[in-house]
Amino acid sequence: MAEIAVLGHGVVGSGVLEVLISHANSISKRAKEDIHVKRILDLREFPGLPYSDCFTKDFQEILNDPEIKIVVEVMGGLEPAFSYVKACLENGKSVVTSNKELVAQKGAELLALAQKNNLNFLFEASVGGGIPIIRPISQCLAANEMTEIAGILNGTTNFILTKMIREHMAFDDALALAQKLGYAERDPSADVEGIDACRKICILASLAFGSHVYPDSVHTEGITAITKEDVGYAGAWGSVIKLIGEVKKLENGRVHIQVAPMFISRESQLANVDDVFNGILVRGDATGDVVFYGKGAGKLPTASAVVADVIDCVRHLKSDRKILYWEDAKPDYVQPWEDTPQDVFVRVSGSGESDTLFDLVQQVFPNAVRLIRRDEETGEAGFTLSQISEKELRGKIPALEERGLKLENRITIADF
Amino acid sequence: MAEIAVLGHGVVGSGVLEVLISHANSISKRAKEDIHVKRILDLREFPGLPYSDCFTKDFQEILNDPEIKIVVEVMGGLEPAFSYVKACLENGKSVVTSNKELVAQKGAELLALAQKNNLNFLFEASVGGGIPIIRPISQCLAANEMTEIAGILNGTTNFILTKMIREHMAFDDALALAQKLGYAERDPSADVEGIDACRKICILASLAFGSHVYPDSVHTEGITAITKEDVGYAGAWGSVIKLIGEVKKLENGRVHIQVAPMFISRESQLANVDDVFNGILVRGDATGDVVFYGKGAGKLPTASAVVADVIDCVRHLKSDRKILYWEDAKPDYVQPWEDTPQDVFVRVSGSGESDTLFDLVQQVFPNAVRLIRRDEETGEAGFTLSQISEKELRGKIPALEERGLKLENRITIADF
């Protein structure tokens, strides 16, 4: 019998209990041991549940219980989750978490602590919900040099963009619909500002390339500035707009990492990842492109990923640790985003016909390639530029303004 | 230092050596030990290679070498691969293989032998080439009850069908092109008759549902009967034709399993898996649909999957075995294919206008739903039927023939 504790009985926590109970037989078979939830930490009361007598409001009761060897942290947020997880790892308890903020901010420290004490710190559920991605990257792709990871990592924003693309909704209307359907929270900023996607690409980047990348070192754009006009120009380029978290290994040993809405060619495998689904592309030198697709969030998908980690923990209690590990951040490891050349789409406004505006654009950018969207209106023009850095682009704004042109938006064009 | 041997220096075998040499540093780091190829078995001579002195023509030299703890079998074919692998497992050597025929025919026996002797028998590369699929099914989805697996498992046939769909090529022309490009062998029957896909769905079915399914118990259709007309009717239904290996768990405890070309709705995640790529959909009760996409074959993708297994083997030499296991086949485990109702497309020919032919069809199948393809010609008609078994459909052929209608083809319509 493996005794475990669960910290937090919210959406994911209650899902973990549900999966453990409903799949008890097959889980015992796979873990080669029964798994029993001895304690659940939550400040609220949950009367009337079959496991109501397991609840405690006192974390020390879990920490000081020598029978509990595995602790599942599904509270979310940095504190008190971090203090609790750290205490567990310092006291001989392996930890399984779904908490992406915790892993993105404290992964290197907690992995080092786990290694020192010969314990597991597992977090399959922190990225991609029920999609297996942490393990495949760390194990199956072990014989590859990974060169790039790019993913649609946030279901809420993908739902909003899908509505903007397919049903020509405006951003605000699509957000309101997402909130009504329960896909977006009342304060949607962590999703729509790209913060959630940023945490996830940090975790994937750290895992794939071995050095921790902290969220505050990553250029992060959300989707709030995306308009119907941008969606139209994307269509004219043969693409759709998706919020992408992307990291590339550069030849200088650094990484190029960003979270931003991007033009994704309709030929790309990520272009068809719609609604609340996630899709993650992993590019390796031997495997080529491998794509993982599925529900990136939700109670049961996330809970099943947590439970799979628990099973793995139980199986490895008496033997060696799993392979997950990365080092702390290296100085100057993240390539300055502003200096990195990328293909971009640019939309400008001014007074006059689009033809006239584009003539003015060409005075500033002789190599600009014009895009014409369906229903293009007077006073706007769109074009693409190849391999230009943000710094260089911004440097041209005065020249645009001199010609009466206002830069309305710029959107990166993906190369996958 | 972990000493290994490689049986077979063909495409995959030489790829394994290439990956082991080119990625030696990162592999040693992940395996926590250096990996050294001590012997390579091949009847041919390979002078001038950096590892030319490792070759042997005598399997006993490998079998009787106590230093060699892991044997990589990449010869392909059932014999002598089976005898060699069995001998290795009987003599304390773990085995990694890419040989789908071996696993599909002898998996249960070899897994039982490995378990008995506390060894590993790993075969990630046997399905999906470089796509991680065996491990995710066995580990990450451990907390799920899987209900269905469906996949495009053969790149050669997918290339041929893609050419037929996109460029309106006839089957023979598309096959000739595939042969010219090296995607199809001179004798293409294992691919185009569905034999290769059958072996792979047998492996996935055995793994997902725990009982061995042997290839000869699986209804297997190839793509040789697919015509341009069928492709046209599929388009009219909003779908594409793909060769699918599919297994479903039924409520009676049996499995419904088949390899057949199917109409795949353009909305399905598998519809966009084109050219030589593979895509595998895994449906679980907790995760929902998860899809894995990538190159299903090729020297380096397959070799990297083999090497990932070798790394895993090295890491587990001193600890417990991996979780892979299934039992031998149960009697009456496979639901008789002919009795299983499915949605189907049917194409008939006769003399007369399509309208007239369809009127006759309706006399036999009152609920038939007509499809009209672009460029439909006199003398043909297409329609769909819902939930009809093969037995029932065949029973209606006399009634069709009485009305001067010939059943030209029937194609299953997928429900994913």
Side-chain angles (χ1 to χ4, degrees), chain B residues 39-239:
Chain B
R39 282 279 175 272
I40 304 165
L41 181 75
D42 206 297
L43 296 178
R44 298 165 292 180
E45 305 279 345
F46 295 91
L49 290 174
Y51 47 84
S52 282
D53 54 345
C54 298
F55 280 90
T56 174
K57 296 182 171 63
D58 180 9
F59 171 66
Q60 298 301 323
E61 223 182 288
I62 292 167
L63 189 66
N64 297 326
D65 187 333
E67 278 185 10
I68 294 171
K69 300 283 188 214
I70 298 168
V71 174
V72 173
E73 185 279 302
V74 284
M75 314 168 74
L78 203 53
E79 281 295 352
F82 173 60
S83 304
Y84 288 176
V85 168
K86 199 175 166 191
C88 288
L89 292 171
E90 282 167 342
N91 284 274
K93 299 182 199 305
S94 284
V95 173
V96 171
T97 184
S98 63
N99 185 335
K100 46 201 172 272
E101 188 174 0
L102 176 70
V103 182
Q105 292 287 0
K106 301 288 181 182
E109 181 177 346
L110 295 171
L111 284 166
L113 190 55
Q115 190 178 51
K116 187 179 135 208
N117 296 329
N118 202 28
L119 297 165
N120 276 304
F121 176 59
L122 302 180
F123 42 86
E124 180 63 67
S126 67
V127 182
I131 310 173
I133 182 71
I134 301 291
R135 244 187 222 83
I137 287 183
S138 68
Q139 292 192 329
C140 305
L141 304 178
N144 261 278
E145 295 294 333
M146 270 166 274
T147 55
E148 181 171 359
I149 297 178
I152 296 167
L153 301 167
N154 180 273
T156 306
T157 46
N158 204 41
F159 175 84
I160 292 171
L161 289 170
T162 303
K163 290 289 160 193
M164 291 175 72
I165 294 162
R166 289 215 183 156
E167 296 168 32
H168 310 290
M169 289 174 84
F171 171 79
D172 289 336
D173 299 333
L175 172 60
L177 179 62
Q179 285 172 319
K180 193 176 149 197
L181 293 171
Y183 296 151
E185 294 178 54
R186 219 175 308 169
D187 174 4
S189 53
D191 292 321
V192 300
E193 304 291 356
I195 298 165
D196 175 78
C198 177
R199 289 170 183 150
K200 292 170 179 169
I201 196 66
C202 284
I203 296 172
L204 296 179
S206 304
L207 183 66
F209 302 124
S211 299
H212 199 120
V213 178
Y214 288 96
D216 61 8
S217 65
V218 177
H219 170 80
T220 303
E221 291 171 49
I223 62 165
T224 53
I226 301 295
T227 66
K228 286 195 269 191
E229 289 75 22
D230 296 322
V231 170
Y233 283 112
W237 193 76
S239 67

Side-chain angles (χ1 to χ4, degrees), chain A residues 300-326:
Chain A
L300 290 182
T302 308
S304 77
V306 169
V307 173
D309 272 351
V310 171
I311 293 172
D312 221 17
C313 253
V314 170
R315 287 178 54 84
H316 286 84
L317 273 183
K318 286 155 203 147
S319 69
D320 69 338
R321 293 178 57 252
K322 298 294 293 177
I323 203 169
L324 292 183
Y325 189 70
W326 63 72

Side-chain angles (χ1 to χ4, degrees), chain A residues 19 22-23 26-27 29-32 115 124 130-133 135-146 166 207-208 267 269 272-274 277 285-295 300-305 307-308 311-312 315-316 319-323 327, chain B residues 19 22-23 26-27 29-32 115 124 130-133 135-146 166 207-208 267 269 272-274 277 285-295 300-305 307-308 311-312 315-316 319-323 327:
Chain A
V19 169
S22 62
H23 295 65
S26 63
I27 289 170
K29 208 171 142 190
R30 283 175 187 271
K32 297 186 177 169
Q115 189 177 51
E124 179 62 67
I131 310 172
I133 181 72
R135 243 187 223 80
I137 287 183
S138 67
Q139 293 192 330
C140 304
L141 305 178
N144 261 277
E145 296 294 333
M146 272 167 274
R166 288 215 185 156
L207 183 65
E267 301 288 305
Q269 279 299 314
N272 300 300
V273 176
D274 282 331
F277 286 86
D285 64 348
T287 53
D289 289 357
V290 177
V291 178
F292 303 80
Y293 167 93
K295 276 202 183 133
L300 290 182
T302 308
S304 77
V307 173
I311 293 172
D312 221 17
R315 287 178 54 84
H316 286 84
S319 69
D320 69 338
R321 293 178 57 252
K322 298 294 293 177
I323 203 169
E327 291 172 359
Chain B
V19 170
S22 62
H23 295 65
S26 63
I27 289 170
K29 209 170 142 190
R30 285 176 186 271
K32 298 186 177 170
Q115 190 178 51
E124 180 63 67
I131 310 173
I133 182 71
R135 244 187 222 83
I137 287 183
S138 68
Q139 292 192 329
C140 305
L141 304 178
N144 261 278
E145 295 294 333
M146 270 166 274
R166 289 215 183 156
L207 183 66
E267 302 288 306
Q269 279 299 315
N272 300 301
V273 176
D274 282 332
F277 286 87
D285 64 348
T287 52
D289 289 357
V290 177
V291 178
F292 303 81
Y293 167 94
K295 275 201 184 136
L300 289 183
T302 308
S304 78
V307 173
I311 293 173
D312 221 17
R315 287 178 53 84
H316 286 84
S319 69
D320 69 337
R321 293 178 56 252
K322 298 293 296 177
I323 202 169
E327 292 172 359

Side-chain angles (χ1 to χ4, degrees), chain A residues 195-208:
Chain A
I195 298 165
D196 176 78
C198 176
R199 289 170 183 150
K200 292 170 180 168
I201 196 66
C202 283
I203 295 171
L204 296 179
S206 304
L207 183 65

Side-chain angles (χ1 to χ4, degrees), chain A residues 394-410:
Chain A
R394 299 225 161 267
K396 298 288 190 180
I397 290 180
L400 290 171
E401 288 177 345
E402 276 167 28
R403 289 164 179 82
L405 297 173
K406 185 179 168 216
L407 190 150
E408 293 285 346
N409 208 354
R410 56 153 294 290

